[in-house]
Amino acid sequence: MANRDAAPTAPAASQPVIKRQLLPRIDMADLKLAPTIAAVCLFVIVVAALLAPLIAPYDPIAMNPMERLQGASAAHPFGTDAYGRDVLSRTLYGARMSLIVGIGAALVAVLIGLPLGLFAGFFRWLDAILMRIMDGLMAIPSILLAIAIVSLAGSSLWTVLFAITIPEIPRVVRLVRSVVLSAREEPYVEAAIAVGSSLPKIMWRHLMPNTLAPLIVQATYVCASAILTEAILSFLGAGIGTETPSWGNIMSEGRLYFQLKPSLIFWPGLFLSITILSINILGDTARDVMDPKLGKKRQA
Amino acid sequence: MGETIAKDRRPIEAGTGTGTGMQTDAILVVENLVIETNGRDPHRIIDDVSLTVGPGETVCLVGESGSGKSVTSLATMGLLPKGALSARSGRILVEGEDVLAASPSRLRQMRATRMSMIFQEPMTALNPVMTVEEQLQEVLTAHASMSAADRRTRIREILSLVHLPDVERMCRSYPHQLSGGQRQRVMIAMALVLEPKLLIADEPTTALDVTTQKQILKLIAEIQERLGTSVLFITHDMGVVADIADRVYVMRHGKLVESGPIQSILTKPERDYTRDLLSAVPALSPRAARPASSREIVLETSQLGMVYGQASLFKKREGTVAAKDVDLKLTRGRTLGIVGESGSGKSTVARCVMRLIDPTTGSIRLRNHEIANLSRRALRPWRKRIQMIFQDPNRSLNPRLTVGDSIIEGPVNYGASKQDARARARELLELVGLPADAIDRHPHQFSGGQRQRIAIARALAMEPDVLVADEAVSALDVSVQAQVLDLLDDIQTRLGVALLFITHDLRVAAQICDDVAVMQRGRVVEYGPTAEVLGNPREAYTRELIDAAPGRHWDFPNFRPMPAAVAPVDVTPGG
C-alpha cells in the first residue's frame, strides 16, 4: 500500500476538466452552396403547396373547353391542359399531394420500422423471423407491389400512401437493427443490465437514441423515393384519381398531348425533379453533419 | 531473460546527457521540433523537443497518454496526419537527411530503407487480404531492384530471422491465421527486410500478453545485435523501459521532461514528474496480507463452466470451453484477484458471476443464494447485490446521459425516488473524489480517470455486497491507475464491500488482492493467498507469468534494484 500512497498526488477533482462542444458549432463559412440552395428551393415549394388555395389563380379542376391547350400567357403562365384547366394551379395543388405522400410515407415508415428494428436487433429469436419477412418484402419489386395493392383496394390517397410505405419499411428496419446490433454490445448497455433496468427502459434510453441520426437521414431518402413512386404510380394510372391533381397524374394526362404541348409535362416534371434533388441534397448534408466519423475528418 | 536484454549492452558514448545532435554519427537527430495543429487557433502538440539516437542504441521515449510521444515518432516517419498537424520549426535528421524537408517521393524512398516503423496493433497494420509473402514482396518491389528469385530467398531469410516457425506455411498465411505474437513478428520482418538503420517501435507489445511481449522484446534486441539497427522505442510501461533501454527520454504535455542513461533515470530521477511516474508503478512483490475482518462468504462459485457455441438442434459442433470447473470463494471485505492472459477465461468468469452471460454448468452462490439459473425476473432482487466496473470508462457510461442520470438509474429501478437518489449520487461523487456538481455534466467533460470514478460511484449507488472490477484500471495511465486503486482500497475499508478483481497485470494484483486465482485456458491453475501464489508459486505457469513481467528486477518506487530476497524465484529455463 505504501507504494501507492507515494503515487502522484494531484487529486482527481482538480484535474483539468476536458471541455468539448456537444454539438458542432455551425459556422456561416461552413455552409455549403448546394445545401443552401436546396433548402431555399424546398422551402419555396412547401410554402407554395401550403398557400395553394391563396396563390393559385384558378380552380385546379375547373374545366374550360374554350381555352384548351393554350400556350403560356399572362392569364395562364404555364398554359392550359386538354380540358382547359390551368396548369399552374394544378401544379401548385399537385405539390400538396406529392408532399403529403412523401412526408407521410417517411413518417409511417419510421414509426413502424423503428420499433420493429429495435426488437429485431435486441431479440435473436425475433430477429430470425422478422428479417425473413423483411427479406421477402424486399424481394418483391416495390412498384408491382404498390400496383397490386392499389388495384385491390382502390385508388385513394390512403391506399396509395400504404402501398408506397410498405416496401420502404424493410429498409428502415434493417437500418435500425444494424445500429442496435452494434450498440447493444456497448459496455454501457451491459452496465444498464447490471443495475437492473428493464428491457423497455434499456431499449428506449440506451439503444433508441443511437438510431436517431441515421434514421433522420434515411427518412429523407424515403421521402424522396415516395414522391417519385407516387408520380410513377399516377403516371401508370394506378395512383390517386385525376380529380385530385398530383405531379404524377398531371404528367400522365399530358403524355397524350406531349408533342403538341411539352409544357404539360415540363412544369410538373421540373417541380418534381427540384423537390427530389433538394431532399436528397439535404439528406446527404444531414448524413455528413451527423456521422461522427465524417465529422472528425472535417474538424481535422 | 528480460534484464539480460539490456544489462549486457556496453554504454554508448553518443548517449550521455541530452544530446544536441552535434554527433555526426547519430542515426536520428531531432532538433527543437515544434508541431502544432492546423486551424484557426493552433494548439502546440510538440514543444521544442530534441533527441538523438546513436548507432545500435535503444532509446525509449516514455510518457503517459497525450504526452506527444507518438506524434514525435510519426513526424520522424514523415507520417504526420496531413491537414491536421504540421511541423512549425526544427529538424529531424535521419542519417543526416532532413525528413521535414524531404519531398513526398523522397520520403517514400527513405521509409523501409532508412527508417521503418512497427505499430501497436499488428492486425490493423497488416493488410487482411494479402498473404504474408505478398506483403513482403510489396515492400521489396517498391524499394529494391531484386530478381524474383532473390526476393523469394530474402523473404524466407527474414522470416526465419524473426523466428517464425514453418516459414513456407507462414508465407502462404493471411494475417488472421496467425497469433498476435506471430503477426508482430511478421511486422518486424516487414520493417527490417531492407535493413534500415532506424527502427521506430510505437508501443509494439502493449496489445500482447506478457509472455508474448517478453519474446518480442527479446527478438528486437537480438535482431538489433545482428543488424546493428538503432531502435526508438515508444512506451508507457516503465517495466519495459527498465528491461530494454540504453537511454530514456521522458515526455509530458509535448515537452521533454528529463533524459539520460537508464541507470541514472531509474536510480536518481531529477524531475518530480519522473519520480511520480516511477513511484506509481506498483511493486511486483505482494503486499502483506490483511487480517480477515469477517468470515461471511458473500460470493462462491463451484464447478462453474461456460462453453460458447455448443451443439444445438441444427448444428453439431464441439463448442469452445471458455471456463471449466472454476471454484472461487470471496469473503466480505476481501479482494480476490483473477489473473491470466487473454483467452484464459477470467472475463468469462466475471460475466457469468454478473449473469451478463448464462453459465452452462455449475453454481454461483451470492450470500448463500443460488443465482446461476434464476430467471431474469427472479434475478432482479439479486442484481443490486453485485455490481460491476468495466474496463473502458469511455464506453461504460452512456455518452448521452448526464453523470447524475447514469448514477441514479439503478436506485430508481429499485424504487428510490429521484430526489433521494440524486442526493445520494452527490454524496457518492464526493466519496469517489469528484465535486458534487459533476452530477449535471456529461461523461465527455471528464478525463479517463474521472470517468472511472463515476463508474465506481454508479456501482456503489446500488450498495452492493460484491464489486466485480473487470480490468478496471487497465485502460488508465499509471499515475491515474494508482489513484483509482487507492480509491478502491479506501472504499473497501469504509464500506466493507468484497472485490472480485480481474486483471492481466500481476503488479496490480500483487498490490490490491488478498487472494489470487491464476487462470489458464479456462481453468484455475493456482489459487491461494497472494503472498503465496505470487511470492512462492507452485505452478510452472504462474512462474512463467511472473518471470515475463517486464522490469521485475527493478523496485521502481524505491529507485533501486529488487532486493534478491523479495524477488520472485528465477527458475524458468533460459531465464
Side-chain angles (χ1 to χ4, degrees), chain A residues 184-197:
Chain A
R184 58 176 272 181
E185 300 297 327
E186 289 290 327
Y188 64 77
V189 175
E190 292 197 326
I193 297 174
V195 296
S197 295

Side-chain angles (χ1 to χ4, degrees), chain B residues 93-139:
Chain B
L93 302 174
V94 176
E95 292 185 86
E97 188 169 351
D98 193 350
V99 172
L100 294 178
S103 69
S105 60
R106 177 68 194 136
L107 265 179
R108 266 198 302 281
Q109 284 171 7
M110 288 172 77
R111 284 181 208 133
T113 54
R114 291 194 170 194
M115 64 226 186
S116 58
M117 187 160 179
I118 51 178
F119 298 89
Q120 176 172 351
E121 187 36 80
M123 190 67 209
T124 52
L126 290 169
N127 186 336
V129 296
M130 282 168 81
T131 62
V132 167
E133 178 157 23
E134 284 165 358
Q135 313 211 13
L136 280 158
Q137 284 274 9
E138 201 176 50
V139 181

Side-chain angles (χ1 to χ4, degrees), chain A residues 7 13 44 53 70 80-81 84 107 115 143 153 163 187 193 197 202 212 214 216 218 248-249 289:
Chain A
V44 169
Q70 285 195 347
T80 59
D81 70 1
L107 266 181
I143 294 283
I193 297 174
S197 295
I202 289 171
L212 280 184
I216 290 171
Q218 181 69 17
N249 62 29
V289 171

Side-chain angles (χ1 to χ4, degrees), chain B residues 5-6 12 48 312 326 379 465 506 535:
Chain B
I5 297 169
I12 288 163
D48 197 21
S312 71
V326 176
L379 187 64
D465 298 307
L506 289 182

Side-chain angles (χ1 to χ4, degrees), chain B residues 15 21 23 66 68 79 87 120 138 234 281 285 295 333 351 370 376 386 436 448 457-458 477 535 541 547 568:
Chain B
Q23 301 89 354
L79 287 174
Q120 176 172 351
E138 201 176 50
I234 288 130
V281 179
S285 50
R295 307 199 58 176
R351 292 162 58 81
E370 179 61 51
R376 185 184 283 280
I386 181 163
R458 170 176 63 189
D477 281 325
Y541 180 69
D547 194 48

Side-chain angles (χ1 to χ4, degrees), chain A residues 12-19, chain B residues 397-408 421-447 449-455 457-458:
Chain A
S14 72
Q15 285 173 16
V17 167
I18 303 163
K19 287 210 169 156
Chain B
L397 294 166
N398 189 338
R400 291 185 173 80
L401 299 183
T402 62
V403 168
D405 285 342
S406 281
I407 296 177
I408 67 170
R422 273 181 72 87
R424 176 87 184 114
R426 287 171 165 276
E427 288 170 28
L428 284 167
L429 282 171
E430 279 175 348
L431 178 74
V432 298
L434 290 172
D437 61 11
I439 195 164
D440 289 319
R441 288 193 243 155
H442 282 88
H444 67 79
Q445 293 172 294
F446 297 90
S447 69
Q450 291 171 324
R451 276 181 240 189
Q452 200 59 295
R453 287 168 190 268
I454 296 168
R458 170 176 63 189

